């Protein structure tokens, strides 16, 4: 490539990969569960994300090839484990892209006064959005970098404006509704215990996910082994400060609206001023479009990375004259739209599925970094790596322990069942089927296909 992403573009790409729909769509559910402790919950989620992000950044020092978790798992544990992590990572990223695409489409439909629950309108919007993203990527990294940087700066300005406007309103009115949140959460039957805190933290953590995607396109970055370990932590710190500021201000101004709103962009309901409302609404739109741009860059490259290692057909490893992985892009788009369609574009269901589907790589990558530090599989990692016991051993082990703890305390039954109006509980067939297909059937099918090709060769 003649043009590769530099350090600050990587920082902005990481920010763009993280700040998307989460902070605009999910704060109400976090506040409902955590009450006045919501800012603390977001801080806990930020710490968890930062620990994992440092693990991913440390792994990037040892393995510079694209694919992120796939490349790290392959280098640490061999082809078979790497293959499984790569396929499941690709499925998880595709699901996440489907969530983000659905969010931006529903927001656009709302802005134009349409029915954002219309299956037909959302499907048409999905296809139009993917065509736009295709055009952006077809023109190569230079246009992508420009749009990525502009959208990232735009969403940061929108969120900072939200905080500033909130502070002005609080100072002008002298009214602070922060303590009212306790009565609202009590009315919803939520009591604060360890299980509730864990579920609230996982819900808040959704707003920080995306850092693991930043390294997927490392082949298109300048010195990724040096720039990624510095860029990812910087991005996490900036985002944590902004998120906690947004949540705190929102709870002070109008916690009732935050909890009870039916708006697609929950933060819009907080303010009465139309100008501020529009800043948040269009800022959310820019944010969600920007994260779709970031997803269109990183997600197809996960599939491409697996093809480059000859673990799936080389057909996915073909690029256009402008250096764009078109075939991988089209395949990713199809998966990204099929899953939301099967859930009838229900945001709650696909957000939950998206969150759960990421956790396997949060178990594998920290262990991989520790193995790299102690010199396992030296032939698979870069030479002369500057090792650091704190970032390469302590942080990964903390991340591993936190991940296991959250998985144990996660409400698996609640998230894979549906409670009807009369209180009857039934299995969520779509969610269960999606996990079985994505994590068992598809990896096994591709593994045996790849293995049979090697045997014939």
């Amino acid at each position: 490539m003649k043009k590769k992403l530099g350090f600050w573009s990587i920082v902005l790409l990481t920010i763009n990969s993280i700040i998307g729909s989460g902070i605009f769509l999910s704060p109400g559910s976090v506040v409902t569960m955590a009450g006045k402790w919501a800012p603390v919950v977001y801080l806990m989620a930020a710490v968890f994300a930062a620990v994992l992000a440092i693990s991913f950044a440390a792994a990037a020092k040892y393995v510079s090839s694209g694919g992120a978790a796939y490349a790290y798992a392959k280098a640490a544990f061999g082809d078979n484990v790497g293959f499984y992590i790569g396929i499941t990572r690709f499925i998880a990223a595709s699901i996440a892209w489907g969530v983000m695409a659905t969010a931006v489409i529903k927001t656009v439909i709302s802005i134009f006064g349409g029915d954002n629950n219309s299956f037909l309108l959302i499907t048409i919007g999905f296809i139009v959005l993917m065509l736009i993203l295709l055009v952006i990527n077809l023109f190569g990294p230079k246009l992508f970098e420009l749009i990525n940087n502009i959208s990232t700066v735009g969403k940061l300005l929108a969120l900072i404006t939200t905080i500033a406007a909130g502070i002005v309103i609080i100072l002008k009115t002298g009214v602070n509704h922060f303590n009212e949140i306790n009565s609202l959460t009590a009315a919803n039957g939520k009591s604060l215990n360890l299980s509730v805190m864990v579920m609230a933290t996982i819900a808040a953590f959704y707003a920080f996910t995306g850092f693991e995607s930043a390294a997927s396109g490392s082949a298109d970055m300048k010195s990724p082994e040096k720039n990624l370990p510095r860029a990812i932590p910087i991005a996490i710190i900036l985002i944590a400060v902004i998120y906690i500021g947004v949540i705190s201000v929102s709870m002070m101004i109008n916690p009732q609206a935050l909890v009870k709103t039916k708006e697609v962009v929950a933060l819009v309901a907080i303010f009465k001023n139309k100008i501020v409302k529009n800043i948040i609404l269009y800022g959310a739109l820019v944010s969600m479009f920007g994260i779709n741009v970031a997803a269109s860059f990183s997600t197809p490259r996960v599939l491409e990375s697996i093809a480059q290692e000859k673990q799936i057909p080389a057909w996915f490893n073909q690029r256009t004259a402008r250096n764009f992985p078109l075939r991988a892009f089209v395949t990713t788009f199809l998966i990204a739209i099929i899953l939301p369609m099967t859930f009838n574009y229900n945001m709650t269901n696909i957000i939950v599925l998206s969150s759960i589907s990421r956790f396997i790589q949060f178990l594998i990558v920290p262990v991989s970094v520790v193995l790299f530090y102690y010199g396992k599989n030296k032939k698979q990692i870069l030479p002369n790596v500057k090792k650091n016991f704190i970032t390469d051993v302590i942080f990964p082990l903390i991340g591993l322990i936190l991940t296991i703890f959250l998985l144990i305390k996660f409400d698996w039954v609640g998230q894979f069942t549906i409670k009807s109006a009369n209180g009857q509980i039934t299995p969520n067939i779509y969610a269960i089927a999606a996990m079985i297909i994505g994590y068992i059937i598809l990896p096994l099918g591709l593994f045996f296909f790849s293995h049979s090709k090697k045997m014939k060769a």
Side-chain angles (χ1 to χ4, degrees), residues 63-387:
V63 181
S64 62
S65 56
Y70 163 66
Y72 311 148
K74 188 173 182 294
F77 297 100
D79 290 351
N80 291 340
V81 174
F83 176 76
Y84 181 77
I85 295 299
I87 293 299
T88 53
R89 164 75 187 95
F90 171 67
I91 295 296
S94 299
I95 295 170
W97 191 5
V99 173
M100 296 178 291
T102 303
V104 75
I105 294 158
K106 284 194 170 190
T107 303
V108 171
I109 293 173
S110 296
I111 290 173
F112 287 97
D115 179 9
N116 62 19
N117 290 314
S118 168
F119 185 89
L120 179 60
L121 282 178
I122 297 173
T123 303
I124 293 171
F126 214 115
I127 294 170
V128 171
L129 174 62
M130 290 300 169
L131 288 174
I132 293 171
L133 294 173
L134 175 61
V135 170
I136 291 172
N137 280 276
L138 281 173
F139 277 93
K142 189 171 183 179
L143 178 61
F144 166 82
E145 183 175 14
L146 176 63
I147 293 176
N148 177 72
N149 292 352
I150 291 173
S151 63
T152 305
V153 172
K155 74 175 71 175
L156 288 174
L157 287 175
L159 289 171
I160 292 169
T161 301
T162 302
I163 297 172
I167 292 173
V168 170
I169 291 171
I170 294 166
L171 292 176
K172 273 193 171 185
T173 61
V175 178
N176 184 344
H177 299 281
F178 189 86
N179 289 326
E180 293 178 14
I181 195 66
N182 287 335
S183 61
L184 291 171
T185 53
N188 285 330
K190 301 292 182 183
S191 58
L192 192 63
N193 54 45
L194 182 59
S195 179
V196 173
M197 283 291 286
V198 168
M199 292 301 293
T201 302
I202 291 176
F205 179 70
Y206 173 75
F208 289 93
T209 57
F211 63 85
E212 71 278 10
S213 299
S216 296
S218 59
D220 294 323
M221 298 175 182
K222 293 178 183 177
S223 304
E225 70 282 357
K226 295 180 181 179
N227 287 330
L228 275 169
R230 293 186 297 144
I232 294 177
I234 289 174
I236 290 281
I237 292 170
L238 290 173
I239 291 166
V241 171
I242 292 171
Y243 278 5
I244 293 170
V246 168
I247 291 298
S248 300
V249 164
S250 300
M251 291 172 65
M252 291 179 189
I253 295 173
N254 196 343
Q256 185 168 353
L258 188 63
V259 170
K260 296 183 178 180
T261 182
K262 300 297 181 183
E263 295 276 358
V264 177
V265 180
L267 293 180
V268 171
I270 305 301
F271 299 94
K272 295 180 180 179
N273 185 286
K274 287 186 177 180
I275 296 176
V276 177
K277 277 179 171 287
N278 285 333
I279 290 174
I280 297 173
L281 182 61
Y282 289 103
L285 182 60
V286 169
S287 175
M288 289 184 283
F289 177 74
I291 203 167
N292 273 275
V293 173
S296 72
F297 175 82
S298 59
T299 309
R301 284 166 170 79
V302 177
L303 190 63
E304 183 190 34
S305 296
I306 304 173
Q308 287 173 348
E309 297 297 326
K310 299 180 180 179
Q311 290 192 294
I312 57 175
W315 186 86
F316 295 105
N317 190 28
Q318 301 298 316
R319 288 197 172 197
T320 66
R322 290 182 177 271
N323 212 23
F324 173 61
L326 177 61
R327 294 175 180 178
F329 179 93
V330 172
T331 304
T332 308
F333 154 66
L334 291 174
I335 296 174
I337 191 173
I338 287 171
L339 281 170
M341 285 177 70
T342 60
F343 283 90
N344 202 29
Y345 299 109
N346 182 291
M347 289 296 296
T348 302
N349 287 340
I350 55 179
I351 281 175
V352 168
L353 188 63
S354 174
S355 298
I356 294 171
S357 64
R358 299 169 187 262
F359 273 82
I360 190 168
Q361 59 191 303
F362 299 153
L363 294 170
I364 293 294
V365 172
V367 177
S368 300
V369 178
V370 175
L371 293 178
F372 295 154
Y373 179 85
Y374 286 105
K376 302 294 183 182
N377 296 332
K378 288 184 178 180
K379 293 181 179 179
Q380 303 296 324
I381 60 179
L382 295 171
N384 303 319
V385 175
K386 187 176 181 181
K387 296 182 178 182

